[in-house]
């Protein structure tokens, strides 16, 4: 149990377009979902925390209008990178925490390349 | 807020050697959790262990063992008889209250196990 999926796994888009990444908890309800970003050979940096039915809490330095997060249900959160630029190219990873639990379960990640 | 230091950026060993990955953390919380994750080249994070700050017993799981020293704020990870498949980046991460709260990742240690 406790599987988290992400879609797509890889995406290439042109500069100026928007890209939506989905994060789903397949076999449990996730009250909280987290979005991380990882540049090559670097650590994971938390971008935002989203709770079902409420606005996401963004980390300092993360642009809310650029990285739109929606957590519409207990099993789905989406990250939309709006007006993407080459510097947004990165590995985006989501994770989900159970309603009552002590672990985060990570998705397999989405590699975004903006050309 | 938590802070974590993984001083070893890269480690290279020969198969069957034992290797210890260091993790030193800072926290003002009296109750916290500590995690270790493995990230193989595929990119997906693999959960290894969660440790509650109240539990200072060392833990062994197969070839893996963890040494938690609260007095020195360290949570080191040892792989015994390393194998090529252990090659990955390993992250240590403290958390405020467990998996439902955000994780603060260290910079990671890249382990290469050579045949």
């Amino acid at each position: 149990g406790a599987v988290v999926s992400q879609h797509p796994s890889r995406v290439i888009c042109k500069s100026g377009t928007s890209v939506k990444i989905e994060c789903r908890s397949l076999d449990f309800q996730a009250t909280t979902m987290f979005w991380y970003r990882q540049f090559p050979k670097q650590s994971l940096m938390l971008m935002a925390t989203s709770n079902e039915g409420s606005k996401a809490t963004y980390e300092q330095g993360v642009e809310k209008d650029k990285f739109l997060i929606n957590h519409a249900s207990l099993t789905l959160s989406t990250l939309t990178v709006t007006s993407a630029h080459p510097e947004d190219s990165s590995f985006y990873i989501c994770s989900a925490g159970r309603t009552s639990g002590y672990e985060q379960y990570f998705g397999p990640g989405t590699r975004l390349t903006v050309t | 807020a938590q802070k974590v230091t993984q001083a070893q950026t890269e480690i290279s060993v020969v198969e069957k050697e034992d290797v210890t990955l260091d993790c030193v953390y800072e926290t003002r919380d009296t109750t916290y959790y500590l995690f270790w994750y493995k990230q193989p080249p595929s990119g997906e994070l693999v959960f290894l262990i969660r440790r509650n700050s109240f539990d200072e017993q060392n833990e062994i799981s197969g070839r893996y063992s963890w040494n938690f020293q609260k007095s020195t704020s360290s949570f080191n990870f040892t792989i015994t008889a390393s194998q090529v498949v252990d090659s990955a980046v390993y992250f240590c991460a403290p958390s405020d209250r467990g998996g439902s709260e955000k994780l603060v990742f260290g910079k990671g240690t890249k382990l290469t196990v050579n045949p």
Side-chain angles (χ1 to χ4, degrees), chain B residues 22-114:
Chain B
D22 297 334
C23 172
V24 175
Y25 62 91
E26 294 177 32
T27 180
R28 294 181 180 178
D29 297 317
T30 53
T31 302
Y32 51 90
Y33 291 83
L34 298 165
F35 295 79
W36 274 95
Y37 285 89
K38 172 183 179 179
Q39 188 178 40
S42 63
E44 186 164 358
L45 283 169
V46 178
F47 167 79
L48 295 178
I49 190 171
R50 178 195 78 241
R51 174 49 51 90
N52 183 308
S53 57
F54 287 115
D55 182 2
E56 292 194 61
Q57 283 191 337
N58 291 330
E59 182 156 342
I60 298 174
S61 176
R63 296 185 295 108
Y64 297 167
S65 63
W66 289 268
N67 183 281
F68 179 31
Q69 297 284 341
K70 200 169 182 179
S71 59
T72 56
S73 297
S74 66
F75 187 41
N76 297 337
F77 172 38
T78 297
I79 301 174
T80 303
S82 59
Q83 299 176 1
V84 173
V85 293
D86 295 327
S87 297
V89 179
Y90 291 85
F91 292 98
C92 176
S95 176
D96 288 347
R97 279 169 272 171
S100 60
E101 300 296 327
K102 65 181 181 182
L103 295 169
V104 177
F105 283 86
K107 292 187 176 182
T109 297
K110 182 179 180 181
L111 173 65
T112 302
V113 181
N114 298 300

Side-chain angles (χ1 to χ4, degrees), chain A residues 55-74:
Chain A
K55 290 185 179 180
T57 301
Y58 290 81
E59 295 298 301
Q60 195 171 9
V62 177
E63 298 177 60
K64 301 178 184 181
D65 296 332
K66 181 166 187 63
F67 299 101
L68 301 179
I69 292 172
N70 184 279
H71 192 162
S73 75
L74 285 172

Side-chain angles (χ1 to χ4, degrees), chain B residues 1-18:
Chain B
Q2 277 73 16
K3 186 179 176 182
V4 58
T5 301
Q6 293 182 257
Q8 305 144 309
T9 305
E10 293 193 39
I11 300 176
S12 182
V13 299
V14 177
E15 209 169 15
K16 297 184 182 178
E17 283 186 28
D18 298 346

Side-chain angles (χ1 to χ4, degrees), chain A residues 9-30:
Chain A
S9 57
R10 289 179 179 270
V11 57
I12 301 173
C13 70
K14 292 187 177 180
S15 189
T17 62
S18 294
V19 174
K20 180 184 283 188
I21 302 170
E22 291 187 351
C23 176
R24 293 181 184 272
S25 56
L26 298 184
D27 50 5
F28 68 99
Q29 292 186 329

